[in-house]
Amino acid sequence: MSQNFRLNTGGLINRDKPIEFKFNGKKYIGYEGDTLASALLANGIHLIGRSFKYHRPRGFFGAGVDEPNAKMQVEINGCSEPNINATEIELVNGLSASSQNCWPSVNFDIGAINNFLNRFFPAGFYYKTFMWPKSFWYRVYEPFIRKAAGLGIASLEKDKERYEHKYEYCDLLVTGSGPAGLASAYAAAKNGAKVILAEDKPRYGGTLLTDDVTIDNLSGKDWSEKIISELKEMPNVIVKNRSQVFGYYDHNMMVMFERTGDHLEKKPKYTPRQRLWYIRAKEVLLSTGSIERPIVFGNNDTPGVFLSAAAKEYMKVYGVLIGKKPIIFTNNDSGYETAIEFKKNGVNPIVLDTREDQKSELINEAKDLDIKIKFSYAVIVAHGYKKVKSATIGKLNKEKIDFENTEQIDCDSICVSGFWTPTVHLASQSGNKLKFNDTIDAFVPDKSKQNEHSLGAANGTFTLQDTLKNSFNTGSEVSKSITKKDEKIQIPNTNERKYSAHDKFWCSPLPKGKNYKRFVDFQNDVAVSDIEVALREGYRSIEHVKRYTTLGMATDQGRTSNLNGLQLVANVEKKIVPQVGHTTFRPPFTPVTIGTIVGREIGKEYMPTRKTPMHHWHEKNNAVWVDAGAWKRPRYYKRGNENLFEASKREAKNVRDHVGVCDVTTLGKIDIKGPDAAEFLNRVYTNAWLKLPIGKARYGVMLREDGIVMDDGTTTRISENHYHMTTTTAQAANVLSHLEYYLQIVWPELNVNVVSTTEQWAGAAIAGPKSRDLLAKLFPKIDVSNEALPFMGYVEGDLFGVKARIFRISFSGELAYEINVESDFGLFMWEKIIDIGEEFNIQPYGTEALSTLRIEMGHVAGPELDGRTIPYDVSLEGLVSKKKDFIGKRSLAKEAFNKADRQKIVGLVPLDRKSSIPEGSHLVENKNAKLPNPKLGHVSSSCWSVENNNPFSLAILKDGKNMIGKKLFAVSPLKNTSIEVEVMSSHYVDHEGKRVRS
Amino acid sequence: MLNIKCPYCGDRSQKEFAYGGDGTITRPKLNQEISDEEWDNFVYLRKSPRGKHIELWHHIAGCRQWFKVERDTTTHEIFRTFKPEE
Amino acid sequence: MQKYSVFSLIKNAFSNHEKWDLAWKDPTPKKEYDVVIIGGGGHGLATAYYLAKEHQITNVAVIEKGWIGGGNIGRNTTIIRSNFMYDDNARFNEFGMNLWRNMSQELNFNVMFSPRGIINLAHSDAQMNAYARRGNSMRLNGIDAVLLNREEVKKIIPMADFSDDVRYPIFGGLAQPSAGTARHDAVAWGYARQADSMGVDIIQNCEVTGFDIEAGKITGLRTSRGDIKSKKIGLCVAGSTNVLAEKLNMTLPIETHLLQACVSEPVKPVLDGVVTFGAGHFYISQSDKGEMVMGGDLDGYNSYAQKGNLPTIQHVLTGGVALFPFLSRLKMLRTWGGIMDMSMDGSPIIDKTHIDGLYLNCGWCYGGFKSVPSSGWTFAHTIAQDRVHELNEGFSLNRFSKGYLLDEKGLGTKTWIS
């Protein structure tokens, strides 16, 4: 297909490089440097999508981020992505796009029936209906609405692209490379400041690319190229195109995304698709420019209606005509620039100016070019369904609320200009309360709350001369205060046309008896009448209007609709716009790919994985892993076809019968040193610590101040003022912070230091009746007899040349030892234990066997210490000192904690000695009771007791030990089980604790 | 992301810190005779003003020191950071 | 009051929708009311409605500083559920579920309640056991709950990451099929419209500046629109509770925190129900408009800013992509923040106070939306009868000193660790 609407010359596209692409299955040709939008327009394609609610035909309206309509489904690198803005995506070979929200095709869309019924769908209609019959909302109406809503189709494939993050610090971040951005960045760079200049578009220069101006006798485009190339040469400057600063966060943290991949035809390996930049800037200069406001009129959403500046940009940047018979509908001089550009390209526009017989340099120029101008005229309504064919225009009466006469004229496009709205999003995000500027009828930044300045059009300055002057000065001043350098810069001479005053006219009145849809928000189909209904019904706050009508809530976030919406509310409410206020500007400025925000922490890298020094041994020996926070721990070591149950039973039994070894490296370890260490431990733990001898370990429980158990573990006195604390794997980090808090904030007078040594030590627990024999072989030089190394004893030893710590502590209830060596020797230790242990039938055991062993011994762990239990609840009252004070002690006196029938730990055995009791079951007296069935407690941990060869569980039960001997039901409605159980002591094995002391 | 000046290490990104809540709470002394109400107030009541707030932060990925910050809870502006004894 | 129906919609269409009534009036405050509710959010408006409907107290004003529905009712992620472990929370919210089911018809305002179900995913056996404990408790309380294994979860959300390239595989989940979502703004507007029609004055742009207390009794309040007398005043200002408490010289077991949420651009339906990730802070649902509605974690320091920072969003979305890798390719459209009353055990407070005639409704943490009807209903009862209802007995202010905590997560008083 030929590019019928491509001009023969002009534009910044590369005509030497044609690019083939597809739209709705059909092939087209564009050029390198096109956007998808400009390439389609070059081919005369205007009907590109359907609107959200009424499925009205829609075409391009803008040329960049202002575009409300042109959201497309685009195939990029084999992935189909919805809602891509065709005015922003750059054309690459093979790109394939299609229209969204239409079925079966954009040309013939069934959903358009909504348009013909639109009178029945005013704002908020769905709040008023779809209520009967009751079940129909969820079953009938809503599924229909959901199907009709939504824009594009999300691919459910895993995203194969790569996204990266980058962190930068700079003196000045300049957002936008129009005249304000270039001037301020240049001035600051000359002063030696570290500058980042970010431009959203592929081309630098902003309006300099489209405005007919000269700077120092260079065209705007040439001047911007000159400045950019100078900036790029400077080592203190980072210049980035395709980079949009989308968020202004606290403490001048700016976030930007850079489009690094999609515009490349062949992306090099490891080049990310996009990059997210977190930039901490000392100062931020906002040179984000302005966006043209539409004028509202009947059927103003018809394909062929454009913003006038967009029409100009398509000609000047892309060499594309958006129409060959345009109406320019304007309330200010900008429209004339577009008209002149059309004329220069051989097209005869007609200008409708809402102002009365206006005079200005531009108007004169237009007149000189023989451009037809009608003053006091407005477009009333556009005609044509899928493309503008003609328009009814009319002469406005004096008050501009009605028309004196109307006529219909042929046209193929309408370019509107309702003056300019500064892009104040980032300023507003920074906390800057905006103020309304009457002269330009728009909000502009007020006082800065953070270190930011708005420059140029973003600040409501619309002349090049003032923009350059202010921007050079601000760039220079702001950087000077940082770098203390002051390079004088000559502010260049400019040549631009003078504008005359704009007209406040923003919406064409409806002629009597006419009911044209006049859209304020295109994408969400919000018309003037919708906003009027909302106001009539009392939704009067601008936030109510927005929420009730969905004004400004579409993917373009109301960039072209906000101010007109405010103006309408102000008119109806007989207020002025600043009294109506504005809705909040929230990040991001334009939608940001979620993958970009996430970066590289995906898949297995979602969270770090912590591995012990013995990890690879476990792996080689068929460990089945369990996640313990960030750690990977062997849950069991699979032999043959064993399942979890069989393997853990084997491993646990082997511990009870012989000896087993378990990797306990993951336990938290904290080194505690200082003359007040004992006193500190005495305050932290509930039991007494002042008299622990050197070379002895003690089990301790620590509470939060609210009396709830925080953690438990053993602490060993290594030497006079040196202790080694262990914590649970889960609480290691919390406990360290907790100790530091008390040492630094509460009791700074205590001379104690704590430091985490979790990663410095590898730990192996050897447990079982043969563990002493094994230990003796591991440490032949040490007397490991019960007398020399009793329960809770500690010695240091030499493990074949490696320094080791040996603790006689037990979690399994068996005779057991824990050996620690420096992490680098962890694997060495482990292999020695396995090798030498062979003669004692050693087997490694995982966390599942570990659980079995501790449960049948009645040792509590995570499921019992669940952040809701106090020591009394879990049989730890013996560890609660009556004499001394400690963290959380005062809370233990609370009424609820001392209730006679409080839930406490017990053991449970099924009456049939066979049925395993699912964890999470609740205990009830009557399994068939009417609901709600009163719960007496719950099953916290269950195991198959290898000692007694039947199931055993721990439970937290109302009235605790007083219930021993009672029969109850452990019910799990979720699993449809109900097991009759007998309540017994929580210590099922070795009640007196003889084995650990043997 | 806040920019927090650790009084020991200097300016750092919030990523390195953990929050510690109301920094004006004083723990009752050990073995001190106090009423239930005083104890409960210590455990459960927090100052949570709109505006200036003195709070604790912990430089967990740095020097591991706890320190205090005066910060505005409406703008997040930090007025000063200081060592606990200051 | 005009009745909303398909017929009234058609009728009004032929008069160009020019004859719709005001949804609520805009009265000037009277000198005195029987009850004044401070806070025109979901809880306050619901309270006013139930005062009128259940207790025939209609000389009521709802005082709102800004515009009604502008607080957390308009900023939440619209999840409605009663999947609680503790009886007090479970029964209270299950009572609310029944109010939700009939709300559109009762209010004659389509609040779009949809029981699309919620799944809390588990990523370990330990987590499955914790969920079993909760789910069994729900079932014994007469609430629907289903424990799903990995395969069953896969049938419901096949686009979740069931591959090997995953840090925390999905083991299963706890589902409450009757849970769902509703259109948040509509709830505020529906209650407001009905309350208004029964005589309640809804007074917007009216800021409370002080209280009048005589001999331990509340007698009235001062506002930016004049003094108002009332012997009964209810506080329903979650998020700003501490600000008003300061004016009352009260300190509460509540910290004020910021919670952000975000939506993607709208896409065609891919996700029917609500899903929460169990290995990170992330939950998601898809709105009727097609936007993926996502949230997860507090910003982590006291704040009244209604405006958060990107790292929290990054953290939440990282969880999102870990669970649903396809989200990577969608675009984040909008982020926003709400201010939460974080109570010291994660459960709310609906109670009388030490000041006669002053009632407190606060501490909703990040779960206030689902409780709007049950909270309004019980708070209306508490105010009308001057005593708590058995449904909100557990939400007492003194439960902290007595130790009857309702700590669903077992995290204690570090409210910012969610």
Side-chain angles (χ1 to χ4, degrees), chain A residues 81 119 127 131 134 142 158-159 278 429 536-537 544 592 604 630 635 866 868 920 922 935, chain C residues 17 23 68 87 102 105 110 114 116 125 133 161 164 167 183 288 307 314 328-329 332 408:
Chain A
E81 184 168 317
R119 71 155 69 196
Y127 299 126
M131 288 179 275
K134 221 169 91 176
E142 196 189 35
K158 205 165 189 161
D159 190 357
Y278 279 104
Q429 286 177 27
R536 200 172 294 135
E537 292 191 75
H544 282 156
V592 184
K604 277 203 161 68
R635 192 174 188 188
D866 64 352
R868 304 177 185 95
H922 286 262
K935 303 179 295 273
Chain C
H17 300 287
I68 60 165
D87 291 352
N102 296 304
Q105 292 72 30
N110 189 355
S114 301
R116 38 189 73 258
D125 279 340
R133 178 183 172 191
D161 200 339
D164 290 334
R167 180 69 183 84
R183 169 87 185 111
D288 284 351
K307 168 178 170 264
Q314 182 190 324
S328 172
R329 213 52 193 241
M332 181 181 81
E408 290 276 342

Side-chain angles (χ1 to χ4, degrees), chain C residues 89-162:
Chain C
N89 281 328
R91 289 175 195 170
F92 176 85
N93 283 298
E94 183 59 13
F95 174 79
M97 291 300 291
N98 285 320
L99 296 173
W100 277 113
R101 287 175 195 124
N102 296 304
M103 192 182 288
S104 293
Q105 292 72 30
E106 184 177 337
L107 299 180
N108 181 232
F109 202 99
N110 189 355
V111 300
M112 307 180 193
F113 171 70
S114 301
R116 38 189 73 258
I118 185 168
I119 306 174
N120 298 126
L121 294 175
H123 306 266
S124 67
D125 279 340
Q127 212 172 5
M128 285 294 280
N129 292 339
Y131 281 148
R133 178 183 172 191
R134 169 143 62 114
N136 282 323
S137 181
M138 289 164 64
R139 289 283 289 269
L140 292 168
N141 272 322
I143 300 169
D144 62 322
V146 186
L147 204 60
L148 305 169
N149 63 27
R150 183 177 159 94
E151 289 311 308
E152 289 162 329
V153 171
K154 195 173 176 178
K155 271 186 203 140
I156 301 170
I157 45 168
M159 65 292 199
D161 200 339
F162 287 92

Side-chain angles (χ1 to χ4, degrees), chain C residues 27 34 56 63 95 100 124 165 199 253 270 275 284 301 317 330 386 413:
Chain C
D34 293 341
Q56 289 74 48
I63 306 285
F95 174 79
W100 277 113
S124 67
D165 180 29
V270 287
V275 180
I284 185 168
Y301 40 82
L317 292 178
L330 298 186
D386 195 36
T413 59

Side-chain angles (χ1 to χ4, degrees), chain A residues 95-119:
Chain A
L95 181 145
S96 175
S98 50
S99 300
Q100 300 183 155
N101 205 33
C102 50
W103 186 85
S105 78
V106 69
N107 232 331
F108 178 75
D109 177 19
I110 292 284
I113 193 160
N114 289 0
N115 187 32
F116 297 99
L117 299 172
N118 74 49
R119 71 155 69 196

